[in-house]
Amino acid sequence: MKPNLKLAVQCKGRLSEASLALLRDCGIVFSRSNGKLKVDCDNFPLQLLFLRDDDIPAMVAAGVADLGIVGRNLLAESRAPVHMVRDLGFARCRLCLAVEKTQPWQGIGDLQGKWIATSHPVILRDFLKRHGVRARIRRIAGSVEIAPAMGFADAVCDLVSSGSTLLSNGMREVETVFASSAQLVANLKLASDQSVLLERLLLRIRAVLRSRTHKYILLNAPETSLASICRLLPGMKSPTVSRLNEPGWVSVQSVVNEEAFWEVVDRLHELGAEGILVLGLEKMVF
Ligand code: AMP
């Protein structure tokens, strides 16, 4: 299929597998053999460009790629002019300030006149300015967390997800500077046929992302609780209700957000619901 849209994804690293899994869940078929850096998809007019993630914002801004999947941290750091299309919900992490475990910490003012090592100097400079702190920034590309132990800096500003790398290097997190997750971005001047394709792709992405955060729920309940249960499980439009063979009982089918799931189940129990079945969803198309 002749590609009309070029999507840049991270070649190797934390975002690459989740980005490709999302595309595959969207029904897009491609095979990446022999480490090819340019791959045409078989059943969607999309070409994948495998790039370093820190190159993606500039490549999308320049129109080398029409779309990109990249961490919000790199978008903010590069300040590349691109359109933020959608948060993709994976690769969640935070850029945070950390100091050595033994160092006392009263607040950001402690960094006045200190050296801070980071791979994100633009975001950090902006943060320090907003907080009126004049600290000196040392740029370092990787292994940021060992900078204080090497005598390279007094503190670090580094990307963290679980925090275990910082801890195992004798550091503690003291302040969050920036929250990040993977974003779908687009060039600011997509042609109209490309925008149509992007909308088709987005319909699939939304369906996949929603299905990841929702469950299908079936239950039996006394008819007297039906109104309360329908309020609790509004579903996509409204729940499906069918009559059981047992007089005074109904079966209810709906979808429920995973975040609220256990609270909803507790409430359903209180309302007399029984035989609650919960199933994973593959796609949720609105
Ligand atoms: P990497 O593959 O390590 O270069 O990381 C690529 C991107 O993954 C980063 O730019 C962040 O957007 C994201 N990320 C998620 N969790 C982390 C983490 N714990 N450390 C570094 N990057 C992370």
Side-chain angles (χ1 to χ4, degrees), residues 144-166:
V144 178
E145 52 282 288
I146 58 165
M150 294 190 304
F152 185 67
D154 305 298
V156 302
C157 178
D158 198 12
L159 282 175
V160 174
S161 41
S162 71
S164 60
T165 311
L166 276 182

Side-chain angles (χ1 to χ4, degrees), residues 14-258:
R14 283 172 221 259
L15 265 78
S16 64
E17 230 175 82
S19 306
L20 298 184
L22 174 64
L23 294 173
R24 290 201 166 103
D25 286 350
C26 287
I28 294 173
V29 177
F30 53 89
S31 56
R32 198 188 165 201
S33 50
N34 314 324
K36 269 174 79 174
L37 299 179
K38 221 165 77 169
V39 170
D40 289 353
C41 297
D42 298 343
N43 60 349
F44 199 86
L46 186 70
Q47 181 176 70
L48 304 180
L49 303 177
F50 292 88
L51 304 177
R52 271 184 61 119
D53 64 341
D54 40 9
D55 288 333
I56 292 177
M59 292 293 185
V60 174
V64 175
D66 307 301
L67 307 176
I69 296 179
V70 67
R72 219 159 73 78
N73 54 306
L74 291 183
L75 292 166
E77 189 60 27
S78 73
R79 293 198 169 147
V82 294
H83 172 46
M84 304 275 269
V85 180
R86 198 192 152 102
D87 189 320
L88 298 175
F90 57 84
R92 288 199 185 281
C93 60
R94 55 200 184 275
L95 190 61
C96 70
L97 284 165
V99 295
E100 282 182 301
K101 254 189 247 167
T102 49
Q103 193 176 313
W105 180 259
Q106 313 251 299
I108 307 170
D110 291 3
L111 293 174
Q112 207 72 250
K114 297 280 172 57
W115 287 100
I116 309 173
T118 188
S119 52
H120 290 72
V122 173
I123 299 177
L124 176 59
R125 195 168 297 119
D126 193 50
F127 177 85
L128 293 172
K129 198 169 159 204
R130 274 188 278 123
H131 288 83
V133 174
R134 296 180 74 125
R136 288 173 288 184
I137 297 175
R138 286 200 136 148
R139 195 194 178 113
I140 182 169
S143 304
V144 178
E145 52 282 288
I146 58 165
M150 294 190 304
F152 185 67
D154 305 298
V156 302
C157 178
D158 198 12
L159 282 175
V160 174
S161 41
S162 71
S164 60
T165 311
L166 276 182
L167 276 181
S168 55
N169 283 287
M171 306 286 296
R172 72 186 168 106
E173 201 176 325
V174 288
E175 206 77 47
T176 298
V177 171
F178 189 86
S180 180
S181 54
Q183 304 286 314
L184 177 67
V185 292
N187 178 268
L188 294 176
K189 291 186 183 145
L190 287 190
S192 60
D193 59 330
Q194 293 180 317
S195 298
V196 171
L197 275 180
L198 172 58
E199 274 311 311
R200 278 179 53 198
L201 182 62
L202 267 176
L203 179 108
R204 297 184 186 202
I205 289 176
R206 277 195 291 266
V208 170
L209 294 183
R210 271 201 209 104
S211 72
R212 288 180 182 175
T213 53
H214 288 75
K215 298 272 181 231
Y216 192 70
I217 185 164
L218 296 100
L219 57 99
N220 297 329
E223 208 166 358
T224 47
S225 299
L226 186 57
S228 310
I229 290 177
C230 289
R231 275 196 297 278
L232 199 59
L233 296 172
M236 290 164 77
K237 199 170 183 80
S238 78
T240 304
V241 179
S242 39
R243 201 154 289 285
L244 288 192
N245 216 9
E246 174 103 8
W249 280 77
V250 287
S251 165
V252 180
Q253 302 173 35
S254 191
V255 286
V256 60
N257 193 315
E258 197 154 46

